[in-house]
Amino acid sequence: MQSAGANSAYWQSVPVVAAGKDVNIDKECLQQYPQKRAFFGALHVHTAASYDATAFGTMTTVDDAYRFARGETLPLRLRTDPEGFDAPLISINAPLDFMAVTDHAESLGEVQLCYAPASQAYGALVCRLYRGDLQLPAGDDMQAILRLASLAIFGKDRSQKVCGKDGTLCLQQAAQVWLENQRSTEQWQDHSSRCNFSTLHAYEYTLAEDSSNLHRNVIFRSSRVPQAVISAKDAPEPEQLWGWLNRTCIEGDTDCDVLAIPHNSNWSSGRMWYPYSNRDLPTKTRVEHAQLRARLEPLAEILQTKGDSECRNGIASVMGAADEFCDFEKLRSPAESIEDCDETIGSGGMMLRGCTSRYNFVRYALAAGLKERAALGVNPFKLGIVAATDTHNGIAAADSEEFYQGSHGIDRNVLSRLEGHTEVPGDIGAGSPVRYNPGGLAGIYAQQNSREALFDSMRNRETFGTSGPKITPRFFAGWGMDELDCDDPALLQKAYQQGVPMGSTLTGEPQTAGPVFLVTANRDGRDSANLLQRIQIIKSWVDADGKTHQAIYNVAGDPKNGASVDSDSCVTRGSGFNQLCATWRDPGFDPDTAAAYYSRTLENPSCRWSQWDCNRLPPEERPASCNNPDIPWKIQERAWTSPIWYYPK
């Protein structure tokens, strides 16, 4: 087995080259938005180039993925489809504004070599298992899982039988696949001043330790990108990934810039946001790692198809009242009593096992960042918010519960979605796809829809995430915004002048009464979209004893509006709002205590995708999950803004 290593000669010599013609050209788009506009997109999409997507049967190419995002209808085909099979057609409700295809760097070359008859790898046992040439006595769903499991033979290193003695064959093939991705990404970029669609060069770095998730999506600012993608095989620690990106791209080339977005911290067994102050490292190293992370990771993915990473009830080390909306889209049932990891690191998170940790969830990571800043002088967890799909069928369709077609290819069939298998083992209600969801969308506030403007807003954390609907929330804070009027046509202009937007740190001289927060939200503009119910502000902080606290405040709307949804027809009823707006002061503000605040907008209740599927089946054909009281049948779609931070002087 061979591993190139993050510091090997190969990775030291990777060139940074322009993939297209618009390297750091801050082009002027025809449409300009001085107070910034919300653009919606997908920052986590896998195609057939990803090893697991291919194992699931996915045939969607990078071009297909972009084609779908632009509004074209595509057939959802699988490799296992018999000749003449009428694949279901799928389309998006409205085209996206931007997208990044993030195929796994790991085994990017191996998969291509396994499918190339002329390669020396083609006849290797692992390739024959992976292609499905050796059929095992199992159903289609389990066959896909067995194919995926065959890649475990590669381990953290590279198989000599597939990659050659020094691993070069796989590295060279991976570089070629990355080049093809760049070509497609450039082809679909709108280089004109119309700026109808922005594509971002990207890939996924897929690291796991003790079955605990540490995955990141790597997003580049322009077409100036490294001509190879470093994977977890070559950089087996996140700090090595950040160091290589920093040396090669940010410091190594003035026209290259990059950031990384962690995802599925809910699977991380507390490892994703584990404080540097808790690590057995010299203080100097802790500070250096925290600074590097703060530079490279300004965002976090709060929701995707494999569950919600905002918060969880029942964690003993979190102080404050339970939050009823923390039960949203949990892979491990909210009713499950799980041991609190507290200050230790767990294992088995990706297998839905082991203890749970507040360091699995973004809300408590925000509090940990406040504590880290006091200890190290830098906040490594100053995290803006986005959401994504993590689709493995190339179809970034998060905007419809009613017409959800699965996210892994093998769950294309309704019964596979409701009772089949995924890469996570388990019974119905645990590892079954019925616990998965359509994922969400990333929202970015920018003055125009260009790569550079979108990236810079991501770097500044002026971002938000939604669970699918195109809800547009705004969030500001300032010391002198008392007189802001929600009916004022110049409200946004004044909010930018008098305060700071989401993603910012509140500056200026603190006032005893505390800052004023302005929150607004507009519902999804589609006629079929649901009404809004309320806006909440969530506060996260650490007390003088080091304890993590949370508080949730209803600040706009009507929690008691009586809105409901019928379980049989999925028809929604009750009053709600097209728009919401309010100003608010924190009644518990302490000028001596650092805090992070973000807003959460909730729609009225609606049917979950699984209820739509169950309702369409005849009662006698409905699987057990349709009658499982532990599987929620209704949800409240939502949007989360990036936080605003307050630090005492």
Side-chain angles (χ1 to χ4, degrees):
M1 297 288 187
Q2 300 289 332
S3 178
N7 298 311
S8 71
Y10 180 88
W11 294 109
Q12 291 289 344
S13 61
V14 169
V16 174
V17 178
K21 62 184 180 180
D22 67 336
V23 179
N24 276 1
I25 297 175
D26 292 315
K27 64 182 179 183
E28 287 295 321
C29 298
L30 291 175
Q31 297 295 325
Q32 295 285 322
Y33 304 91
Q35 311 308 326
K36 300 185 179 179
R37 187 202 123 178
F39 295 100
F40 289 92
L43 294 172
H44 194 171
V45 176
H46 293 279
T47 72
S50 288
Y51 64 90
D52 46 0
T54 298
F56 299 139
T58 293
M59 298 178 65
T60 310
T61 66
V62 175
D63 287 311
D64 289 335
Y66 284 126
R67 187 174 290 114
F68 174 83
R70 291 307 299 144
E72 292 190 31
T73 299
L74 292 180
L76 189 52
R77 295 193 179 98
L78 301 179
R79 290 179 184 270
T80 53
D81 288 343
E83 186 175 351
F85 177 77
D86 190 14
L89 298 176
I90 187 168
S91 59
I92 198 168
N93 281 320
L96 298 178
D97 299 310
F98 62 88
M99 196 172 87
V101 172
T102 55
D103 283 315
H104 295 286
E106 294 69 25
S107 301
L108 203 59
E110 286 87 329
V111 170
Q112 299 300 313
L113 292 172
C114 278
Y115 273 96
S119 76
Q120 71 173 37
Y122 189 79
L125 175 61
V126 65
C127 287
R128 294 166 63 202
L129 284 169
Y130 180 71
R131 291 193 304 270
D133 294 351
L134 301 178
Q135 292 291 314
L136 300 174
D140 290 342
D141 289 353
M142 277 307 300
Q143 192 69 45
I145 302 302
L146 292 169
R147 289 181 60 200
L148 182 60
S150 70
L151 282 183
I153 297 173
F154 295 143
K156 291 187 176 181
D157 298 314
R158 292 189 164 85
S159 167
Q160 292 186 17
K161 292 183 179 180
V162 176
C163 301
K165 291 184 178 180
D166 59 359
T168 300
L169 292 177
C170 288
L171 291 171
Q172 290 175 342
Q173 187 62 48
Q176 180 60 36
V177 177
W178 173 233
L179 178 60
E180 293 169 1
N181 180 300
Q182 293 172 56
R183 289 169 177 164
S184 294
T185 301
E186 284 304 304
Q187 178 183 339
W188 286 92
Q189 166 73 2
D190 184 355
H191 292 281
S192 76
S193 59
R194 293 187 302 273
C195 300
N196 287 326
F197 188 54
S198 290
T199 62
L200 296 157
H201 294 274
Y203 75 94
E204 180 173 327
Y205 163 90
T206 313
L207 175 67
E209 295 178 358
D210 289 338
S211 297
S212 303
N213 177 81
L214 288 168
H215 301 185
R216 271 97 174 155
N217 290 314
V218 178
I219 313 290
F220 293 93
R221 184 177 191 266
S222 71
S223 61
R224 187 87 175 174
V225 297
Q227 292 307 287
V229 290
I230 198 166
S231 75
K233 293 177 184 289
D234 312 300
E237 296 177 0
E239 289 77 13
Q240 290 180 306
L241 167 70
W242 306 327
W244 183 79
L245 291 171
N246 191 50
R247 289 191 305 273
T248 303
C249 178
I250 298 175
E251 295 180 349
D253 190 293
T254 56
D255 289 327
C256 186
D257 202 354
V258 65
L259 56 81
I261 306 176
H263 71 84
N264 278 118
S265 57
N266 59 325
W267 277 11
S268 71
S269 308
R271 295 167 187 258
M272 187 70 83
W273 316 118
Y274 194 65
Y276 288 97
S277 296
N278 287 7
R279 306 187 190 196
D280 187 16
L281 296 168
T283 300
K284 183 175 182 292
T285 303
R286 294 177 183 177
V287 173
E288 290 173 347
H289 286 180
Q291 290 173 334
L292 187 60
R293 183 171 194 159
R295 184 176 190 181
L296 269 294
E297 292 196 346
L299 301 175
E301 191 177 286
I302 203 167
L303 173 79
Q304 57 124 275
T305 190
K306 299 189 191 77
D308 168 86
S309 294
E310 180 192 5
C311 53
R312 186 180 178 95
N313 289 318
I315 300 178
S317 56
V318 175
M319 307 293 107
D323 178 356
E324 63 176 309
F325 297 108
C326 280
D327 291 344
F328 183 64
E329 295 298 355
K330 293 292 178 285
L331 288 192
R332 297 181 76 167
S333 169
E336 181 183 357
S337 178
I338 310 173
E339 178 189 0
D340 185 354
C341 301
D342 201 9
E343 299 302 326
T344 65
I345 289 177
S347 62
M350 298 178 75
M351 310 298 287
L352 308 184
R353 299 171 185 162
C355 60
T356 193
S357 170
R358 67 183 184 277
Y359 302 130
N360 276 16
F361 299 99
V362 174
R363 179 183 296 175
Y364 316 126
L366 296 174
L370 302 175
K371 193 174 179 180
E372 288 290 88
R373 184 178 183 273
L376 303 176
V378 60
N379 184 348
F381 308 137
K382 191 177 181 184
L383 302 167
I385 302 300
V386 291
T389 58
D390 191 12
T391 176
H392 279 67
N393 57 24
I395 305 301
D399 59 351
S400 175
E401 297 280 330
E402 182 179 358
F403 301 110
Y404 177 53
Q405 295 288 316
S407 58
H408 286 72
I410 56 174
D411 52 3
R412 180 185 66 185
N413 175 274
V414 60
L415 293 180
S416 294
R417 286 195 295 278
L418 292 173
E419 64 177 3
H421 299 277
T422 66
E423 72 270 32
V424 180
D427 299 323
I428 289 176
S432 167
V434 75
R435 278 286 184 194
Y436 283 30
N437 73 90
L441 293 173
I444 300 176
Y445 279 105
Q447 291 188 350
Q448 62 178 29
N449 185 12
S450 66
R451 284 173 172 167
E452 295 75 23
L454 295 172
F455 185 95
D456 291 347
S457 287
M458 285 192 280
R459 173 78 78 195
N460 295 332
R461 306 175 185 85
E462 199 165 354
T463 61
F464 61 97
T466 88
S467 60
K470 290 184 177 179
I471 303 166
T472 50
R474 310 285 302 233
F475 190 43
F476 295 86
W479 301 109
M481 299 199 307
D482 307 67
E483 303 303 321
L484 289 182
D485 181 355
C486 286
D487 294 324
D488 187 344
L491 176 65
L492 290 177
Q493 181 180 355
K494 292 179 179 179
Y496 274 111
Q497 291 171 347
Q498 300 177 26
V500 296
M502 64 180 81
S504 303
T505 299
L506 188 59
T507 59
E509 190 65 32
Q511 297 178 5
T512 304
V516 176
F517 293 88
L518 169 69
V519 289
T520 72
N522 293 336
R523 80 177 182 106
D524 187 319
R526 292 173 296 165
D527 291 339
S528 60
N530 209 352
L531 295 170
L532 303 180
Q533 184 190 72
R534 69 179 97 172
I535 300 178
Q536 300 176 310
I537 290 181
I538 290 98
K539 178 184 179 182
S540 186
W541 76 99
V542 176
D543 66 21
D545 296 324
K547 298 292 186 182
T548 297
H549 288 255
Q550 65 178 12
I552 297 91
Y553 301 92
N554 293 309
V555 300
D558 182 7
K560 299 180 180 180
N561 65 349
S564 64
V565 56
D566 182 80
S567 61
D568 294 326
S569 65
C570 288
V571 172
T572 58
R573 300 187 178 92
S575 63
F577 302 89
N578 291 314
Q579 297 176 316
L580 288 169
C581 178
T583 56
W584 175 83
R585 283 188 190 270
D586 176 9
F589 177 73
D590 178 358
D592 296 323
T593 301
Y597 302 83
Y598 65 93
S599 78
R600 181 173 63 191
T601 301
L602 295 159
E603 285 188 352
N604 283 339
S606 58
C607 275
R608 190 175 185 264
W609 70 265
S610 50
Q611 187 67 18
W612 283 104
D613 274 352
C614 290
N615 286 349
R616 282 188 283 259
L617 291 171
E620 66 275 9
E621 295 181 15
R622 294 173 185 174
S625 62
C626 289
N627 299 306
N628 185 344
D630 194 42
I631 304 297
W633 68 269
K634 63 180 178 179
I635 58 172
Q636 285 188 255
E637 302 274 23
R638 59 200 61 196
W640 307 261
T641 68
S642 289
I644 293 174
W645 287 264
Y646 166 74
Y647 299 121
K649 284 195 172 182

